[in-house]
Amino acid sequence: MENKKHNWLLPLLVALAAIVLIGFTWWTISIPTTPNLSTRFPTVHLTDPVRGGQDAQVTIVEYSDFQCEFCQTWHTVAQQILDKYGDKVRLVWKDFPLTDLHPEAKAAAEAARCAQQQFAFWEYHDQLFARQSELGTALYTDIAQDLGLDAQAFTRCRGSGDADTFITQSQQEGVTLGVSGTPTIYVGQYIFKEAPSFSTVDSLVSSLLSE
């Protein structure tokens, strides 16, 4: 009788152990990105592209790179946050092209800044991320045409180097703050060193709005 009891108990214990292991593994890989408090914050300049409410209660600042696939992921999350919270949140763009890793990042940033001169930064920005796999001179021209930009002014801007001033300013500021990779995202006084999930940012923004 005792042997039969042990024979029945052993498979049960093994099964329970397997369930615990699977649950722990799932919990480990699904932990959302958590932010850290930051004592230093980016300055929002008049030349920084801003989307959302100008007098928003929560400011999100992103250091980003148009050729970075994780920045593309963050772009989707940021849009969902803006869609949900509207003018309660503002999103500030900071250029941080990682040219050693992404050969088209700087050129894409310049093209977007040239679109900014014609008040079309965010429309251009969205198209760059939507067509990230196509980055190159032909795409930059195509997007400008699709958005109805002044072709001569856009081409002149791209050849002038004027946009470099804003890109360099953003990069230097980021380096001063300790930014080394993209995306780096500030949500209020919190900083993420990688693309957070929508649920993580949603919870944080909700908490900040309730303060």
Side-chain angles (χ1 to χ4, degrees):
M1 186 69 177
E2 189 70 16
N3 287 339
K4 287 183 180 180
K5 182 178 179 181
H6 286 168
N7 289 341
W8 170 83
L9 186 60
L10 183 58
L12 177 61
L13 292 174
V14 171
L16 288 174
I19 292 171
V20 170
L21 179 61
I22 291 170
F24 177 79
T25 302
W26 176 87
W27 178 81
T28 300
I29 65 176
S30 63
I31 295 174
T33 305
T34 55
N36 294 311
L37 277 169
S38 177
T39 56
R40 298 185 296 169
F41 314 100
T43 300
V44 179
H45 304 283
L46 291 176
T47 54
D48 291 332
V50 176
R51 181 179 242 171
Q54 295 295 326
D55 299 317
Q57 295 168 256
V58 175
T59 294
I60 300 174
V61 179
E62 62 171 306
Y63 284 89
S64 198
D65 173 323
F66 284 112
Q67 202 173 4
C68 162
E69 61 180 300
F70 302 107
C71 298
Q72 185 183 49
T73 299
W74 160 249
H75 163 63
T76 301
V77 171
Q79 188 57 60
Q80 291 174 323
I81 292 295
L82 290 171
D83 288 344
K84 178 172 181 178
Y85 291 99
D87 288 345
K88 294 179 181 178
V89 169
R90 68 170 176 166
L91 177 66
V92 182
W93 172 272
K94 299 280 191 178
D95 289 296
F96 205 84
L98 301 175
T99 52
D100 290 343
L101 295 174
H102 305 137
E104 283 296 330
K106 182 73 176 293
E110 290 170 347
R113 288 292 188 160
C114 288
Q116 183 184 14
Q117 288 190 355
Q118 300 188 46
F119 307 101
F121 175 84
W122 289 108
E123 295 86 349
Y124 203 96
H125 159 283
D126 292 348
Q127 287 300 309
L128 286 174
F129 276 124
R131 303 172 66 180
Q132 189 181 67
S133 63
E134 305 172 48
L135 293 182
T137 300
L139 177 65
Y140 308 143
T141 302
D142 286 349
I143 295 175
Q145 290 176 344
D146 291 344
L147 296 178
L149 303 186
D150 182 316
Q152 290 186 342
F154 181 76
T155 301
R156 185 167 55 249
C157 174
R158 288 199 62 221
S160 69
D162 290 347
D164 287 348
T165 301
F166 307 121
I167 297 168
T168 299
Q169 180 187 53
S170 288
Q171 283 189 300
Q172 288 178 343
E173 180 187 46
V175 169
T176 300
L177 291 170
V179 175
S180 58
T182 57
T184 295
I185 300 152
Y186 291 81
V187 181
Q189 67 269 43
Y190 295 90
I191 181 173
F192 294 89
K193 293 288 190 177
E194 57 189 78
S197 66
F198 169 77
S199 60
T200 298
V201 181
D202 182 33
S203 296
L204 180 55
V205 170
S206 179
S207 174
L208 291 172
L209 288 173
S210 67
E211 290 180 355

